[in-house]
Amino acid sequence: MGSSGALTRSVRRFLGRPGTVGSTGLRPLVRRAGEREPALRALTDAELRAAVDVLRSRAAARDEAGTRKASAASWDDDALVELCALGREAAHRALGERAFDVQLLGMLGLLRGTVVEMATGEGKTLVGALAAAGFAIRGRRVHVLSVNDYLARRDAEWMRPVYELLGVQAGYVTQESTHAERRAGYARDVVHVAVGEVGFDTLRDRLRTAAAELVLPEPDVAIVDEADAVLIDEARIPLVLAGGVAAGSDEAEAARVVRGLVDGLHFEAEADGMTVHLTDAGVTEVERALGVDNLFALGMDARLSQINVALYASVLLRRDVDYLVRDGRIRLVDANRGRLAQRQRWPDGLHAAVEAKEGLVVGPRGEVLDQLIVQDLIGGYPTVAGMTGTAVIVAEQLREFYRLETGDLPPNVPCVRVDEPDRLYHDEASRDAALIDLIERTHATGRPILVGTRDVAKSEQIGATLRESGLHCAVLNARDDSREAAIIADAGAVGAITVSTQMAGRGTDIRLGGRDGADHERVAELGGLLVVGVGRYATRRLDDQLRGRAGRQGDPGTSVFLTSLDDESITRHASDPPPRSARVEDDGRIRDASVRRYVEQVQRVAEGALLDGHRTTWRYNRQLRLQREEVLDLRRRVLHGDEAARVLADLRPERWAELSDAVGESVLAEAARQILLHDLDAAWSEHLARTADLREGIHLRALGRQNPIDAFHAETQRAFVPLIDRAREAAAEHLDTAHITEAGLDAERSDIQRPTSTWTYMVRDHPFTSMDEPFLTTIGKRLRSTGREG
């Protein structure tokens, strides 16, 4: 955390690379804000709010001069100084906390529309609140986007007194909020909300049939907390709105067939754990089990896909690692945060395959009404800013996908945490033995320990081993994350041992000496918190988030990772075996520097794979985004204008005479509007279903030397071209036969029914969009043998 990091940042800044937005020009403003403290401290609360009103009036005057919707650069320096001073004073009165200079720098960075990196424990929550209030004082409407409901509610309630002193209306929206509460929440100056929740409300608003039912105003400002988690990690998972329930069918049979296959004989899994494919013997066995002559014959495509999905579910998706079984349901584990993923599922076929694998009742499957990726959601905000403890490491991705610039801020007090080199071991058994020994020796001194694991199974294994050794520990993972705030708050107490899955997004600082800091000095003398990582994560960023739990606000602390060469994070992404020259000591430890470099290289490969996945999701959705905008533009004209009049104009004269003689013109216009909205939404849903089917098998185009993404875009566009005209034609046909009375459209008798219920979920990208060569080779051989290639 020392000179090498500072040197790297200096070089990047000199070269103008991402992650180099500086704060030098803002420091004089913060110094001037400090000079205003005595005068503001003497004001009453009412006088403080009056000072805010003066600032708001000045901002309004500048807006009238033509600078509306501009960033912090459009504020004059005097206004920014006053904003910093008022924000600091409000925080002091409301929370008893005087904002550090670095927090005011962070606030100004957010107002400038950048992503700021601030170390764990530096007070990002207050920074976000002060920036949100600054935008609101300027007349902007602000969404503070979090990774989950817990943080959205907590931060809104925590910062409410600050907002109130600054004359800003703030609130929150969560999954439990009613329709009325959502409308009220989004109408406030500032609303704290999980990114998924605002995304789902965006999707639901796209299906409203009356303007009065909309809950979201036009997007304006987004301040993204844990920006890398939201903008990078969450962005790989599309948000889905579904309805129209239909039961699953043949998944149980596919699971039964796959269950009888033998590893190495009937199927082979790649070492990276990402793909699995049938061998020739496996294809023959599947054909025998299904009672078919040729699995690759015409008309067998759906069955072949079903078998491959079942094989993937059986071999590569692991219980207690990728998912849990709870209350008779499959619950996915969020790999980035080690907790249960809320409302998240795999695509219907894969999710059903896992249900069948576990012997559960295959749940309902519905049609996708619409979907949204985070890039498109965030792209709708004219102004975006963010904050996180690990932004610079993904600065190039933030620039590539969001056109956001990034800069890091120094900590308020220099970080003195010691980050030890990895301790490398030959295998998992020797690594785990060394881990338990390290915990026992450290615990004997009273020093608190935080052990970070990647999955539920490992955290529980370590917890059980420690308890068998007579050591009490708290285990925090996706099985029981309801107590996470309390567990994390006590993780810095004397003698505490905490075993947790991924720490990102936990949202609670670890204070030395426990939640009240009573034994702070004693723990500091022991060296502070010891953070131990069990195996590297897929990215250095996640490693750094775990390390950052120690060394808060200048406290002492130590971090070290224990890694084994047979760790999944290495075997999955290693293209070559580790160096053979390394000497293995009696306890299994390897001290060779070349092996350490090897592990670091493998992690860079893993990071590259994640970036490729992000790009793939984005590329596949580019065309759909443009098409969706065209559909939504028409939908807005139908909802707010007289676009439906075109449908009425196409009515047969005798039908027009029939309808106009029984019902009023306004009733007829409303019926036409409802019918057009229904048929437009149905056409879009059918289009999404077609594109989903297309994407599931698009990787096979590689056999014909086609680029799968180019082929997907071409066919998707070809299918979309007639969509709007067909929707209008369908609406005209429906209107011609619809049952319309003075009371309005009889939707049931007119067969114009919307889903009786909808549900939302995040769907992980399908694994078969990037099939590796072994599968394509096997398929190619079979197709050549049946004469179907080309």
Side-chain angles (χ1 to χ4, degrees):
M1 298 295 292
S3 59
S4 62
L7 177 60
T8 299
R9 290 191 291 272
S10 298
V11 173
R12 292 173 66 88
R13 193 163 282 125
F14 176 75
L15 296 174
R17 297 291 302 281
T20 61
V21 174
S23 59
T24 304
L26 302 177
R27 292 180 183 277
L29 305 181
V30 174
R31 284 195 294 270
R32 288 174 56 192
E35 296 168 1
R36 288 279 292 142
E37 275 190 89
L40 294 184
R41 189 63 51 83
L43 300 180
T44 65
D45 287 355
E47 290 170 335
L48 187 72
R49 274 190 287 269
V52 174
D53 289 339
V54 171
L55 190 61
R56 184 178 284 110
S57 299
R58 288 171 58 186
R62 289 180 65 83
D63 290 341
E64 291 176 6
T67 57
R68 176 86 173 114
K69 299 288 185 188
S71 66
S74 64
W75 291 72
D76 60 70
D77 285 356
D78 291 341
L80 287 174
V81 168
E82 189 71 358
L83 190 61
C84 286
L86 289 168
R88 174 179 271 166
E89 182 60 25
H92 173 74
R93 297 187 187 193
L95 306 176
E97 298 179 10
R98 179 187 181 275
F100 305 133
D101 283 359
V102 70
Q103 288 177 294
L104 296 185
L105 288 174
M107 165 192 170
L108 293 174
L110 294 179
L111 289 172
R112 192 162 56 175
T114 61
V115 176
V116 295
E117 176 173 305
M118 300 180 68
T120 300
E122 291 295 304
K124 291 188 288 292
T125 303
L126 177 59
V127 171
L130 294 180
F135 278 117
I137 289 168
R138 187 64 192 273
R140 309 289 297 275
R141 183 175 283 110
V142 187
H143 292 172
V144 181
L145 303 179
S146 303
V147 294
N148 57 48
D149 281 354
Y150 164 74
L151 291 178
R153 181 189 294 109
R154 185 206 69 174
D155 293 352
E157 293 177 341
W158 185 8
M159 294 294 124
R160 179 176 286 122
V162 178
Y163 288 127
E164 289 176 348
L165 271 175
L166 294 173
V168 172
Q169 291 185 333
Y172 61 85
V173 169
T174 69
Q175 185 176 340
E176 288 75 32
S177 299
T178 65
H179 183 270
E181 289 168 341
R182 290 172 191 275
R183 293 199 71 189
Y186 289 122
R188 292 186 172 96
D189 302 324
V190 175
V191 59
H192 289 254
V193 59
V195 65
E197 206 55 45
V198 75
F200 290 135
D201 279 328
T202 299
L203 289 172
R204 284 186 284 256
D205 268 4
R206 289 177 179 177
L207 293 180
R208 307 291 184 196
T209 57
E213 297 173 355
L214 299 171
V215 300
L216 278 166
E218 284 294 310
D220 191 1
V221 177
I223 296 178
V224 188
D225 190 14
E226 301 291 351
D228 55 337
V230 171
L231 301 180
I232 304 300
D233 299 331
E234 299 290 330
R236 288 191 290 269
I237 307 176
L239 289 77
V240 174
L241 181 67
V245 176
S249 55
D250 300 324
E251 287 81 6
E253 182 185 27
R256 175 187 60 79
V257 171
V258 164
R259 202 175 293 125
L261 301 181
V262 178
D263 188 4
L265 174 61
H266 297 131
F267 65 85
E268 294 176 350
E270 296 303 300
D272 62 6
M274 298 294 287
T275 56
V276 59
H277 64 277
L278 293 171
T279 62
D280 284 343
V283 171
T284 300
E285 175 60 21
V286 169
E287 289 171 341
R288 185 201 63 77
L290 291 176
V292 300
D293 294 330
N294 186 354
L295 191 58
F296 297 90
L298 287 170
M300 292 294 295
D301 306 68
R303 183 59 62 90
L304 173 62
S305 176
Q306 207 166 54
I307 291 294
N308 279 310
V309 169
L311 185 64
Y312 187 96
S314 176
V315 177
L316 300 183
L317 294 180
R318 299 151 299 169
R319 184 169 178 166
D320 291 340
V321 177
D322 300 299
Y323 65 92
L324 303 180
V325 177
R326 176 177 288 183
D327 300 325
R329 295 169 53 208
I330 298 295
R331 299 293 303 276
L332 274 61
V333 174
D334 187 330
N336 297 307
R337 280 177 285 284
R339 66 177 74 195
L340 284 178
Q342 298 299 314
R343 293 184 303 191
Q344 191 173 128
R345 59 186 285 133
W346 290 292
D348 278 336
L350 182 58
H351 203 90
V354 178
E355 290 172 326
K357 165 191 173 182
E358 295 293 344
L360 304 176
V361 175
V362 175
R365 299 174 63 179
E367 62 176 346
V368 173
L369 303 176
D370 202 358
Q371 63 186 39
L372 179 68
I373 60 172
V374 170
Q375 288 101 322
D376 292 345
L377 174 66
I378 298 298
Y381 290 88
T383 300
V384 180
M387 52 190 176
T388 181
T390 46
V392 173
I393 202 168
V394 289
E396 299 206 23
Q397 294 184 54
L398 293 174
R399 176 183 278 184
E400 176 182 352
F401 296 116
Y402 301 96
R403 290 183 248 180
L404 286 171
E405 296 300 331
T406 308
D408 63 326
L409 294 174
N412 180 56
V413 180
C415 180
V416 296
R417 184 184 69 243
V418 176
D419 296 326
E420 294 185 4
D422 281 17
R423 300 183 188 182
L424 301 177
Y425 293 85
H426 180 259
D427 54 28
E428 184 177 359
S430 56
R431 180 199 66 188
D432 289 356
L435 169 68
I436 300 301
D437 179 65
L438 173 61
I439 293 173
E440 289 178 339
R441 287 187 289 105
T442 304
H443 178 69
T445 70
R447 187 180 186 184
I449 306 163
L450 173 66
V451 180
T453 70
R454 291 195 311 277
D455 58 63
V456 174
K458 195 64 184 179
S459 67
E460 294 190 339
Q461 176 194 329
I462 293 171
T465 304
L466 290 172
R467 284 189 285 270
E468 289 171 3
S469 302
L471 298 178
H472 172 75
C473 66
V475 177
L476 175 59
N477 59 38
R479 286 199 189 279
D480 181 18
D481 54 13
S482 60
R483 299 184 299 120
E484 71 173 63
I487 291 175
I488 295 301
D490 288 330
V494 174
I497 304 175
T498 308
V499 182
S500 174
T501 49
Q502 175 53 257
M503 292 297 299
R506 294 291 183 191
T508 303
D509 287 336
I510 298 177
R511 299 192 175 192
L512 298 191
R515 67 181 66 196
D516 59 0
D519 291 318
H520 180 279
E521 294 306 315
R522 180 182 173 189
V523 174
E525 291 173 0
L526 293 171
L529 181 68
L530 171 64
V531 171
V532 184
V534 183
R536 287 283 191 106
Y537 290 99
T539 72
R540 291 169 294 155
R541 178 167 53 86
L542 297 180
D543 291 346
D544 290 346
Q545 288 173 358
L546 177 59
R547 293 186 195 277
R549 291 295 171 166
R552 174 187 177 274
Q553 283 291 320
D555 284 338
T558 305
S559 74
V560 62
F561 280 74
L562 275 61
T563 305
S564 65
L565 293 182
D566 60 356
D567 190 281
E568 184 201 12
S569 63
I570 294 177
T571 59
R572 171 173 286 201
H573 298 284
S575 56
D576 300 307
R580 298 180 181 277
S581 59
R583 187 175 69 86
V584 180
E585 299 180 358
D586 292 341
D587 61 355
R589 186 167 179 180
I590 302 173
R591 300 179 186 269
D592 194 293
S594 65
V595 180
R596 185 173 294 113
R597 290 192 296 270
Y598 168 81
V599 171
E600 292 169 352
Q601 172 59 25
V602 171
Q603 188 176 53
R604 285 192 287 271
V605 172
E607 290 173 335
L610 287 174
L611 177 56
D612 286 344
H614 192 168
R615 285 196 179 114
T616 297
T617 299
W618 179 74
R619 286 168 179 165
Y620 272 112
N621 278 276
R622 262 186 319 179
Q623 190 88 334
L624 286 175
R625 177 179 61 82
L626 297 174
Q627 294 167 358
R628 181 180 288 104
E629 280 304 314
E630 190 172 338
V631 171
L632 289 176
D633 180 63
L634 173 60
R635 205 179 191 286
R636 280 188 287 268
R637 297 202 306 272
V638 176
L639 202 60
H640 299 286
D642 58 356
E643 183 70 24
R646 294 180 57 178
V647 177
L648 287 173
D650 290 336
L651 268 180
R652 292 179 293 112
E654 55 271 27
R655 176 63 170 163
W656 172 263
E658 174 192 342
L659 289 173
S660 60
D661 189 47
V663 298
E665 191 172 315
S666 62
V667 172
L668 188 55
E670 175 62 19
R673 191 171 65 84
Q674 292 290 337
I675 289 172
L676 181 53
L677 287 173
H678 171 274
D679 288 328
L680 184 60
D681 293 341
W684 178 248
S685 179
E686 291 168 4
H687 182 65
L688 288 178
R690 281 194 297 270
T691 57
D693 289 342
L694 174 65
R695 185 174 175 187
E696 188 163 305
I698 199 69
H699 57 279
L700 295 174
R701 300 299 180 89
L703 290 170
R705 302 187 184 281
Q706 284 184 280
N707 181 302
I709 292 179
D710 290 344
F712 176 82
H713 285 159
E715 296 210 16
T716 299
Q717 184 60 22
R718 194 156 43 242
F720 177 76
V721 168
L723 183 147
I724 289 178
D725 286 341
R726 286 178 181 171
R728 286 196 173 108
E729 291 168 4
E733 292 174 3
H734 268 130
L735 189 60
D736 193 51
T737 59
H739 291 264
I740 305 173
T741 67
E742 291 181 357
L745 175 70
D746 187 329
E748 184 174 354
R749 294 181 65 192
S750 303
D751 195 25
I752 307 293
Q753 293 187 354
R754 293 183 170 273
T756 56
S757 64
T758 60
W759 68 95
T760 54
Y761 57 83
M762 293 173 281
V763 57
R764 289 192 181 179
D765 223 348
H766 205 290
F768 304 119
T769 56
S770 57
M771 277 294 187
D772 279 349
E773 189 63 27
F775 176 79
L776 295 175
T777 301
T778 302
I779 295 291
K781 288 194 297 184
R782 296 290 296 190
L783 292 180
R784 283 191 291 274
S785 70
T786 57
R788 286 187 58 199
E789 186 175 33

